[in-house]
Amino acid sequence: VGIFENEIQNTIRVFPNPVNNVLHINSTEASRIQILNMLGSIVEESTIRKGVNQIDAASWTPGVYFIRVSDGVQLNVQKFIKQ
């Protein structure tokens, strides 16, 4: 893993993992996000602001999800679990 990839990973923090009802996303800048299920279907799409953001995950089916975050230059994908 190169230095540049580590910098991208540090632009957001997703917690808690696993999530029950509310997913928190701490971002170093405003970004577009997409939440995808294991089939690649988008279950949530929105713009987040710099700082801590909350996404309602209560209605999502339990399983593995991916969050795709883009600031227009960098793309970051992280995996998390919905209980």
Side-chain angles (χ1 to χ4, degrees):
V1 175
I3 293 170
F4 184 69
E5 290 173 319
N6 285 337
E7 289 174 2
I8 292 172
Q9 288 295 327
N10 291 334
T11 60
I12 68 161
R13 186 171 146 248
V14 178
F15 60 97
N17 191 6
V19 62
N20 287 316
N21 295 319
V22 179
L23 180 67
H24 300 271
I25 305 164
N26 191 1
S27 179
T28 57
E29 55 192 80
S31 304
R32 291 280 308 151
I33 65 159
Q34 293 179 323
I35 308 289
L36 300 97
N37 62 20
M38 284 296 291
L39 300 174
S41 299
I42 297 171
V43 297
E44 181 83 27
E45 190 169 22
S46 66
T47 300
I48 59 172
R49 66 187 185 285
K50 180 179 178 177
V52 178
N53 300 266
Q54 296 181 351
I55 304 290
D56 182 7
S59 64
W60 302 347
T61 304
V64 176
Y65 288 82
F66 296 91
I67 180 168
R68 183 169 29 194
V69 181
S70 174
D71 64 5
V73 177
Q74 299 176 347
L75 179 65
N76 181 339
V77 178
Q78 293 187 20
K79 181 172 79 171
F80 65 94
I81 297 171
K82 162 66 166 103
Q83 286 188 330

